[in-house]
Amino acid sequence: MNRYARQTLFTPIGEDGQRKLSKKRVLIIGCGALGSANAENLTRAGIGGLVLVDRDYVEESNLQRQQLYTEEDVDKQMPKAVAAKARLQAINSEVEIEARVLDADATSLKPLLDGIDLVIDATDNFDTRFLLNDLLQQHPLPWIFGSCVGSTGMSYTIFPNESPCLRCLLDTIPINGATCDSAGIISPAVQMVVAHQTTEALKILVGDKEALRTSLLTFDLWNNHYHTMKVERAKKKACPSCGEHPSYPALHDSSSTKSEVLCGRNTVQIRTSRQPNVHVLKERLKKIGSVKANDFLVSVEYKTYRLVFFPDGRTLIHGTNSIEKAKSIYYQLAG
């Protein structure tokens, strides 16, 4: 039996829609809860290809809601994009999947847009979302915004030159700064956002634009609230991202970031031009503390901190939210 038989029986997709879907490529930014679940849905649906981008690795606290990952991934400190690719290829070997372990900035993302039909936002911070918003206005591609925290979530589909962009939207509808790390999250909230993101993605990929939801969707599962809001009037002519004279401010801001506190995680990321050999670094760090390594990273336990070094020059310093303290620890160990 055709593995997509039940899906093609659904009239809005059908055989023609399935053929279209099999030729499409989607870029997913972030392979945490939203990203891994969207990737699984699209892989099972028969997407042609996926490009998965994530800078992080699997930790135990992820397993409560990030359903692609296992305790083995935690033990091996596998990068999320790599672990996701392995699991997805086991689900559907027909899908071409590319895993990129990297920081999402303008320089790293631009080359990945070639041949992409749709981008799904699955990031965990608004700095990256604003970067994505400007980049996809400059290189016009539709993208689907999604976020969740606690028992709440929201989703909105953005078409450059047509709909209000994210900056327009959030200037009109401010949201609070709560994160999963500060307010927690329940898995059903993730699944609800993903259900809407994947459904809108399928509509776009099979060409059923008339069926798209044009409103901003918000919900609170615990308190039984579900709301859609018309936002067409939020689009601003003077918007620096999508207005008549765009300057794309987030693209300029992102290029200067070298060190940053990761949102709500008591972790600092440092980026340098150094690109260490993780296997050589592993041997040197053994003199300092307990070391774990794989082909994608090497980590060391040092006093009350854990440092994780990536080949692209990034280092995560867990255990502090002070950039100065993180730099001090980094230079003590990395030289």
Side-chain angles (χ1 to χ4, degrees):
M1 175 178 280
N2 183 338
R3 72 187 296 161
Y4 308 116
R6 297 296 185 271
Q7 186 163 278
T8 55
L9 283 173
F10 180 63
T11 302
I13 295 180
E15 296 286 352
D16 184 55
Q18 190 65 47
R19 281 190 293 271
K20 291 178 180 177
L21 188 61
S22 70
K23 298 176 182 178
K24 302 294 186 180
R25 296 179 76 238
V26 173
L27 172 63
I28 298 181
I29 311 298
C31 294
L34 295 178
S36 58
N38 271 293
E40 180 176 353
N41 286 348
L42 291 173
T43 296
R44 292 186 183 277
I47 189 73
L50 291 174
V51 180
L52 308 177
V53 173
D54 195 281
R55 66 183 175 183
D56 215 343
Y57 60 96
V58 183
E59 298 183 87
E60 186 178 27
S61 63
N62 301 148
L63 300 182
Q64 167 255 347
R65 66 199 178 282
Q66 299 180 21
Q67 297 174 343
L68 274 186
Y69 307 126
T70 66
E71 292 178 352
E72 182 180 7
D73 296 323
V74 174
D75 185 59
K76 293 181 176 180
Q77 294 187 337
M78 292 300 294
K80 291 182 181 180
V82 175
K85 176 181 177 178
R87 207 80 67 234
L88 295 171
Q89 288 187 322
I91 291 170
N92 191 343
S93 60
E94 296 176 353
V95 179
E96 294 183 4
I97 301 172
E98 182 179 343
R100 294 296 187 103
V101 184
L102 52 79
D103 213 4
D105 59 28
T107 301
S108 64
L109 290 181
K110 280 182 184 179
L112 302 183
L113 298 179
D114 187 40
I116 293 296
D117 298 287
L118 172 70
V119 178
I120 293 180
D121 158 45
T123 65
D124 60 1
N125 68 89
F126 275 89
D127 287 341
T128 304
R129 288 189 176 105
F130 280 123
L131 163 69
L132 195 59
N133 182 67
D134 282 9
L135 185 63
L136 298 180
Q137 292 291 330
Q138 189 180 61
H139 303 270
L141 280 173
W143 66 287
I144 305 173
F145 159 70
S147 74
C148 51
V149 63
S151 60
T152 69
M154 60 177 67
S155 178
Y156 178 64
T157 302
I158 298 173
F159 276 85
N161 304 316
E162 296 180 34
S163 56
C165 77
L166 186 67
R167 192 178 297 274
C168 290
L169 199 65
L170 297 186
D171 281 349
T172 304
I173 310 166
I175 63 172
N176 64 44
T179 69
C180 299
D181 299 280
S182 62
I185 188 167
I186 58 173
S187 184
V190 173
Q191 295 162 2
M192 179 67 82
V193 174
V194 170
H196 286 284
Q197 283 187 301
T198 303
T199 302
E200 296 303 289
L202 290 173
K203 294 175 186 177
I204 293 170
L205 297 170
V206 303
D208 193 1
K209 194 173 178 180
E210 293 300 315
L212 283 168
R213 173 176 42 80
T214 59
S215 57
L216 170 69
L217 177 142
T218 64
F219 64 82
D220 184 337
L221 293 176
W222 202 264
N223 293 299
N224 307 306
H225 297 156
Y226 193 95
H227 184 64
T228 58
M229 183 183 306
K230 293 182 178 181
V231 293
E232 291 88 346
R233 293 183 180 180
K235 190 169 177 60
K236 298 177 173 63
K237 292 183 179 180
C239 175
S241 296
C242 72
E244 295 178 344
H245 304 287
S247 58
Y248 310 117
L251 300 186
H252 306 299
D253 294 343
S254 71
S255 61
S256 61
T257 303
K258 297 297 182 183
S259 303
E260 61 180 318
V261 179
L262 300 191
C263 183
R265 291 185 56 188
N266 198 32
T267 298
V268 172
Q269 175 176 269
I270 294 175
R271 289 190 290 172
T272 71
S273 58
R274 296 180 180 182
Q275 295 186 335
N277 182 308
V278 293
H279 301 292
V280 173
L281 188 58
K282 173 185 175 182
E283 297 306 313
R284 185 156 64 83
L285 293 175
K286 282 181 179 178
K287 301 174 184 177
I288 296 169
S290 176
V291 172
K292 285 188 176 182
N294 54 45
D295 290 339
F296 310 98
L297 59 84
V298 57
S299 71
V300 61
E301 303 292 334
Y302 173 69
K303 296 182 178 179
T304 59
Y305 308 100
R306 182 168 77 253
L307 283 78
V308 184
F309 299 85
F310 294 84
D312 63 358
R314 292 182 300 115
T315 303
L316 300 181
I317 296 92
H318 298 283
T320 181
N321 58 11
S322 164
I323 290 177
E324 291 307 312
K325 180 65 176 177
K327 285 182 176 180
S328 174
I329 297 166
Y330 171 80
Y331 287 115
Q332 285 179 47
L333 272 63

